[in-house]
Amino acid sequence: MSIVADLRVRCSWDRVQTRETLRPYLVEEVHELDHALGEADPAAIREEVSDLLLHLAWQLVLAQELGEFTPDDVAGDLEHKMRRRHPHLFDLGPREGWETLKQKENGRGVLEGLPPLPTLLMAYRLQERAASVGFDWPDATGPLAKVREELNELESEAAGRTVEPIGGPPDPRLEEELGDLLFSVVNLSRKLAVAPDNALQRANRKFRERFGAVERRAAERGIDVHRAGLEVLNELWNEIKHI
């Protein structure tokens, strides 16, 4: 914070920054930290945590300049919140679920108050909120059955459909059924204690690596992947998959 305050005085770029101008950089740093966490790279995590701390320092310095709040105010709010949300550990009352305590604080409906999260995370958080008041299966058996049910409904809806060109308007019924299937898969991931975003990132990374290997294997054999066709590419894929 001292460095940020000093740069606000001596650097022309730092001097003109505002909350609005810094927002894109803050979001970028959060995504970079999330990526480093996904890669489990300690050096990268250390660097990205440092970058994020810089932006938090920025927000604290700006708030002080505007006379809105101090770092001590923020720390005090956080300490008070953590005590309030762990009442059984600080002799403040019986143990309660995290989401239940948050809803009591905010006085909102169970599903209200969520920020505009990415779609996959929003599905997870909606289900988590509903589960906090008992609207939940006891284990993964129910979600597994629901996934099968939604898949059957999608298969019935998609049967006999012609493939529409990419970029064309989506079929409302197919879109609805596919959405239900995705929502049920997110619920299954929650009951299996697997973060769906992390699982999908892992799948994306695996696909990228394998397809890259397919391209390299094709190049070694003089095969043009743009003209090879599905049968040839699938044979290469299976070769790579079983290495």
Side-chain angles (χ1 to χ4, degrees), residues 121-136:
L121 180 56
M122 177 63 81
Y124 189 92
R125 294 290 286 120
L126 287 171
Q127 294 166 8
E128 193 175 47
R129 286 280 186 94
S132 72
V133 295
F135 190 66
D136 197 16

Side-chain angles (χ1 to χ4, degrees), residues 52-63:
L52 181 58
L53 279 175
L54 171 63
H55 277 272
L56 296 179
W58 261 106
Q59 295 303 320
L60 291 171
V61 168
L62 289 172

Side-chain angles (χ1 to χ4, degrees), residues 8 13-27 55 58-59 62:
R8 290 280 283 169
W13 184 89
D14 290 78
R15 188 179 305 122
V16 299
Q17 298 311 304
T18 66
R19 284 171 173 160
E20 284 301 310
T21 63
L22 291 168
R23 282 178 63 189
Y25 303 109
L26 173 59
V27 172
H55 277 272
W58 261 106
Q59 295 303 320
L62 289 172

Side-chain angles (χ1 to χ4, degrees), residues 4-58:
V4 170
D6 179 52
L7 292 174
R8 290 280 283 169
V9 174
R10 298 197 293 151
C11 174
S12 59
W13 184 89
D14 290 78
R15 188 179 305 122
V16 299
Q17 298 311 304
T18 66
R19 284 171 173 160
E20 284 301 310
T21 63
L22 291 168
R23 282 178 63 189
Y25 303 109
L26 173 59
V27 172
E28 180 180 334
E29 293 301 345
V30 171
H31 282 295
E32 290 182 356
L33 174 56
D34 182 63
H35 178 73
L37 291 170
E39 295 294 316
D41 181 346
I45 293 171
R46 175 177 175 172
E47 180 179 355
E48 298 306 336
V49 166
S50 175
D51 290 344
L52 181 58
L53 279 175
L54 171 63
H55 277 272
L56 296 179
W58 261 106

Side-chain angles (χ1 to χ4, degrees), residues 2-219:
S2 297
I3 289 177
V4 170
D6 179 52
L7 292 174
R8 290 280 283 169
V9 174
R10 298 197 293 151
C11 174
S12 59
W13 184 89
D14 290 78
R15 188 179 305 122
V16 299
Q17 298 311 304
T18 66
R19 284 171 173 160
E20 284 301 310
T21 63
L22 291 168
R23 282 178 63 189
Y25 303 109
L26 173 59
V27 172
E28 180 180 334
E29 293 301 345
V30 171
H31 282 295
E32 290 182 356
L33 174 56
D34 182 63
H35 178 73
L37 291 170
E39 295 294 316
D41 181 346
I45 293 171
R46 175 177 175 172
E47 180 179 355
E48 298 306 336
V49 166
S50 175
D51 290 344
L52 181 58
L53 279 175
L54 171 63
H55 277 272
L56 296 179
W58 261 106
Q59 295 303 320
L60 291 171
V61 168
L62 289 172
Q64 277 192 309
E65 290 179 358
L66 295 168
E68 296 173 341
F69 53 80
T70 69
D72 286 341
D73 293 333
V74 173
D77 289 346
L78 179 59
E79 181 178 343
H80 180 64
K81 180 186 292 185
M82 290 301 97
R83 288 176 178 272
R84 192 170 63 245
R85 292 187 181 175
H86 298 82
H88 58 296
L89 300 179
F90 295 98
D91 297 323
L92 298 175
R95 182 172 189 164
E96 293 189 77
W98 184 269
E99 291 296 339
T100 301
L101 288 165
K102 288 175 66 176
Q103 288 153 28
K104 285 183 176 180
E105 288 176 10
N106 299 325
R108 296 170 174 164
V110 174
L111 301 183
E112 294 179 8
L114 286 170
L117 301 167
T119 308
L120 196 64
L121 180 56
M122 177 63 81
Y124 189 92
R125 294 290 286 120
L126 287 171
Q127 294 166 8
E128 193 175 47
R129 286 280 186 94
S132 72
V133 295
F135 190 66
D136 197 16
W137 276 290
D139 53 40
T141 305
L144 273 169
K146 188 64 175 175
V147 168
R148 294 190 189 99
E149 175 190 326
E150 296 297 349
L151 181 57
N152 289 335
E153 291 180 8
L154 178 60
E155 287 177 339
S156 297
E157 192 66 39
R161 298 285 188 113
T162 57
V163 178
E164 297 293 335
I166 294 177
D171 182 289
R173 284 293 301 157
L174 283 176
E175 188 174 59
E176 179 179 353
E177 294 298 342
L178 187 57
D180 290 345
L181 175 60
L182 290 171
F183 194 82
S184 64
V185 169
V186 171
N187 203 20
L188 174 61
S189 75
R190 185 178 61 82
K191 295 305 293 184
L192 294 175
V194 174
D197 190 65
N198 293 349
L200 188 56
Q201 283 182 7
R202 181 186 292 267
N204 288 343
R205 185 163 54 245
K206 182 167 64 177
F207 182 83
R208 186 192 298 270
E209 291 170 354
R210 284 184 179 172
F211 198 81
V214 166
E215 290 180 307
R216 291 189 293 274
R217 180 68 59 89

